[in-house]
Amino acid sequence: MTYETITVEQRPEPHGAVTLITLNRPQALNALNSQVLEDLIAAFAAFEADDGQRCAVLTGSGDKAFAAGADIKEMADKPAADFYLDDFFARWTSHLVKATRKPWIAAVNGFALGGGCELAMMADFIIASDKAKFGQPEIKLGVAPGMGGSQRLTRAVGKAKAMEMCLTGRMMDAAEAERSGLVARVVPHESLLDEALKTAATIAAMPPMAAIANKEMVNAAFETTLDQGLVVERRIFQILAGSEDKAEGMAAFVEKREGRWKGR
Ligand code: CO8
């Protein structure tokens, strides 16, 4: 499959079972237009459907930006009724978050602003270059986050910082983003992709059903009460306890060898 605005690469060994998706509009700092959305939906659906692919990495091309936001030029003249009637921005979450059960990582290589920050926060976690900058500057355009920024940023960094960032549009650098819990890890700019792919390969080598299950459990913490989340955790644990990979994982431990996963 060929794409207009992204590139997709399935990584060979030793990065086995990892799909690398790269936003590829460097001339517009990888701004997210409607074609990017269509391309990402197709790429994530292909990743999800391919049993040979177990973890994905999303990054931006060029040295400057992961994505500098939704494409302002494309949206500037769009009538409000179209935003409402199309439930504009809803498909980002429904396809990249809800329909993608396999884990994926955002490797943020520069500016992640507005929709770019929101896209990074849709990932299961973010690994950031030491040059990364995060922000929700929509207020400066007379609007506000529309792809989850007010909700996911607040859950990640808490009300004080999220409110300050949304109200002032100020950017957070990588060190502050790590301190605040927005990113899992900051790495030197030059080694970002290597580190992200290495981490993805580690995840891809895990028992695949357990990887999906771990992701589902952690995500439940954001959507339920503690009691309900604990029930979700126990039920998923109980399902895993009957899996072939659980029997294999425990046998491999006892026999001091690597597990050979069936994904069931
Ligand atoms: N959309 C479209 N094009 C963009 C965007 C964007 N979000 N960001 C950058 N570009 C383009 C620039 O227009 C420029 O193109 P050209 O060369 O043709 O003029 C090119 O990318 C390079 O950008 P700059 O020359 O500005 O690069 P600088 O290094 O000087 O600055 C910045 C980098 C600071 C990142 C700067 O580009 C910037 O501030 N960008 C906009 C950031 C922003 O506000 N993002 C939030 C967007 S809003 C959003 O995501 C949701 C709401 C959508 C609007 C809805 C309207 C109703």
Side-chain angles (χ1 to χ4, degrees):
M1 173 125 187
T2 52
Y3 301 93
E4 269 180 55
T5 62
I6 62 174
T7 60
V8 178
E9 197 187 329
Q10 292 190 343
R11 307 283 295 177
E13 297 294 341
H15 299 297
V18 172
T19 299
L20 172 63
I21 304 172
T22 307
L23 301 166
N24 194 26
R25 301 184 71 217
Q27 72 290 352
L29 301 187
N30 301 318
L32 308 170
N33 64 14
S34 43
Q35 189 59 48
V36 176
L37 173 60
E38 296 310 324
D39 286 350
L40 285 177
I41 288 174
F44 273 86
F47 160 65
E48 185 71 11
D50 185 340
D51 286 343
Q53 295 295 296
R54 294 186 179 162
C55 189
V57 172
L58 176 67
T59 192
S61 63
D63 219 26
K64 223 166 151 180
F66 173 75
D71 193 312
I72 299 168
K73 293 167 189 168
E74 185 185 69
M75 281 162 220
D77 298 325
K78 200 174 168 68
D82 288 3
F83 281 105
Y84 182 67
L85 293 172
D86 297 346
D87 201 6
F88 201 74
F89 292 141
R91 293 170 73 223
W92 290 88
T93 286
S94 57
H95 290 267
L96 274 54
V97 181
K98 303 269 184 219
T100 304
R101 299 183 72 203
K102 292 179 186 174
W104 65 279
I105 302 167
V108 174
N109 54 309
F111 290 115
L113 303 177
C117 186
E118 294 169 305
L119 174 58
M121 290 189 292
M122 288 179 200
D124 296 310
F125 59 93
I126 299 171
I127 298 180
S129 129
D130 53 11
K131 289 191 185 166
K133 287 196 188 311
F134 299 85
Q136 298 291 163
E138 290 91 338
I139 193 166
K140 295 181 185 172
L141 300 168
V143 286
M147 282 164 59
S150 64
Q151 303 303 303
R152 292 196 178 99
L153 185 65
T154 308
R155 281 166 167 76
V157 305
K159 178 181 170 185
K161 274 187 191 289
M163 191 68 93
E164 188 204 10
M165 287 173 73
C166 289
L167 287 177
T168 66
R170 90 162 167 93
M171 293 185 212
M172 193 184 252
D173 66 19
E176 184 183 2
E178 186 179 28
R179 273 201 313 278
S180 311
L182 179 58
V183 313
R185 203 146 47 89
V186 179
V187 298
H189 188 68
E190 314 70 54
S191 55
L192 173 67
L193 205 50
D194 274 355
E195 288 293 333
L197 289 168
K198 227 187 286 170
T199 306
T202 300
I203 295 169
M206 296 295 168
M209 189 161 90
I212 291 170
N214 274 270
K215 168 171 170 165
E216 192 174 342
M217 280 183 188
V218 174
N219 280 337
F222 289 92
E223 288 168 15
T224 59
T225 62
L226 177 60
D227 267 352
Q228 289 165 335
L230 290 171
V231 172
V232 170
E233 183 186 88
R234 289 200 302 276
R235 293 294 171 264
I236 295 176
F237 180 93
Q238 289 154 2
I239 292 167
L240 290 175
S243 70
E244 293 180 38
D245 282 349
K246 171 256 176 184
E248 166 64 8
M250 299 203 174
F253 176 79
V254 172
E255 293 159 22
K256 300 188 190 300
R257 60 172 174 81
E258 294 293 312
R260 291 181 293 269
W261 312 122
K262 290 191 176 157
R264 316 187 55 80

